[in-house]
């Protein structure tokens, strides 16, 4: 798969130029832009030091999902893969309407590369950081409306023995529903950790070789 760094569009690795703006495409991994046999990667929606988040379509049911991809060429791939596995494991433990829903996790081999991917619900809305940058400050009423559900999600995570450790405005999304209602969603449990709560933490997924 290749990516247009300018507009974020995804293409099969047989393409060399972006069909939208003519930019040279950057390779991510070998083969087509279908991962896991059912997720068609379409558009980058976010990026970070460890990887990118791509809007995708589930080919069997037609739903829109968010797929988090680890950049295969980065340094410390084994550490990054462990973080990916841990994030999938943690999200599987946190069941709350104000925490992002994890749908799938896998590691797909492309040529000599292992490509880890984490599939989550696709959220429509803006981050709390974007809201604050746009508005400058929030009223007490709006702050109370947002902080209450956020605290409930964090409390649910704590009850499951999970500490987020990176709770900040950019990791909170305000999802807008069709009726105009907003739902607070907590994201990015990648550096969260399990704590003892009277039971052993869930077993860690089997390690995957990146050699």
């Amino acid at each position: 798969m290749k990516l247009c760094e300018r507009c974020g569009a995804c293409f099969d690795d047989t393409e060399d130029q972006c069909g939208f703006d003519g930019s040279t495409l950057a390779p991510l991994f070998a083969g087509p832009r279908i991962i896991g046999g059912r997720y068609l990667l379409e558009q980058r929606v976010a990026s970070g030091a460890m990887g990118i988040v791509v809007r995708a379509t589930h080919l069997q049911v037609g739903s829109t999902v968010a797929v988090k991809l680890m950049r295969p060429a980065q340094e410390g791939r084994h550490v990054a893969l462990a973080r990916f596995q841990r994030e999938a494991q943690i999200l599987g433990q946190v069941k709350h309407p104000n925490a992002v829903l994890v749908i799938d996790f896998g590691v797909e081999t492309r040529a000599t590369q292992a490509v880890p991917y984490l599939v989550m619900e696709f959220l429509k809305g803006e981050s709390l950081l974007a809201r604050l940058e746009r508005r400058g400050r929030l009223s007490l009423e709006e702050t109370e409306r947002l902080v209450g559900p956020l605290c409930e999600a964090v409390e649910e995570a704590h009850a499951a023995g999970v500490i987020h450790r990176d709770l900040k405005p950019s990791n909170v999304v305000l999802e807008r529903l069709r009726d105009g209602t907003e739902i607070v969603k907590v994201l990015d449990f990648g550096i969260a950790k399990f704590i003892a709560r009277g039971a052993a933490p869930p077993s860690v997924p089997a390690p995957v070789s990146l050699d």
Side-chain angles (χ1 to χ4, degrees):
M1 189 193 92
K2 293 182 179 179
L3 177 73
C4 176
E5 295 285 7
R6 179 180 296 178
C7 72
C10 300
F11 297 88
D12 293 338
D13 66 352
T14 55
E15 302 294 326
D16 295 318
Q17 287 187 318
C18 176
F20 300 101
D21 58 34
S23 299
T24 301
L25 302 177
L28 287 183
F29 52 79
R33 58 191 178 107
I34 297 175
I35 199 161
R38 53 192 175 277
Y39 303 110
L40 177 65
L41 305 175
E42 298 173 330
Q43 180 75 36
R44 180 191 61 201
V45 295
S47 61
M50 189 177 69
I52 63 173
V53 178
V54 177
R55 187 192 71 236
T57 297
H58 191 303
L59 294 175
Q60 278 70 47
V61 299
S63 59
T64 301
V65 297
V67 179
K68 190 172 185 178
L69 297 165
M70 190 180 85
R71 292 185 182 273
Q74 69 174 4
E75 297 295 328
R77 291 179 299 162
H78 290 278
V79 174
L81 177 57
R83 174 175 170 176
F84 247 69
Q85 291 176 310
R86 184 173 66 250
E87 183 172 6
Q89 179 189 25
I90 288 172
L91 285 171
Q93 300 300 310
V94 181
K95 306 294 185 182
H96 194 275
N98 297 113
V100 65
L101 174 66
V102 64
I103 299 171
D104 199 0
F105 171 80
V107 180
E108 184 163 308
T109 301
R110 294 293 184 92
T112 59
Q113 293 179 332
V115 184
Y117 62 94
L118 177 64
V119 185
M120 300 169 286
E121 62 178 320
F122 183 77
L123 302 177
K124 298 179 180 179
E126 65 178 343
S127 70
L128 179 55
L129 176 62
R131 174 72 57 87
L132 291 171
E133 290 177 341
R134 180 168 55 85
R135 298 267 297 274
R137 61 185 299 177
L138 305 179
S139 67
L140 288 176
E141 293 78 9
E142 187 172 10
T143 300
E144 181 181 10
R145 179 174 60 82
L146 300 180
V147 171
L150 189 156
C151 290
E152 291 177 6
V154 172
E155 182 181 18
E156 178 67 21
H158 286 176
V162 173
I163 299 178
H164 191 290
R165 297 205 299 177
D166 196 24
L167 195 60
K168 56 188 179 182
S170 61
N171 283 337
V172 177
V173 167
L174 310 176
E175 184 181 24
R176 178 75 66 174
L177 303 183
R178 291 182 181 178
D179 63 0
T181 304
E182 274 190 341
I183 297 180
V184 177
K185 292 282 188 175
V186 179
L187 312 180
D188 201 354
F189 284 77
I191 64 170
K193 69 174 182 177
F194 286 113
I195 58 176
R197 285 297 171 93
S203 58
V204 176
V208 180
S209 173
L210 292 181
D211 297 330

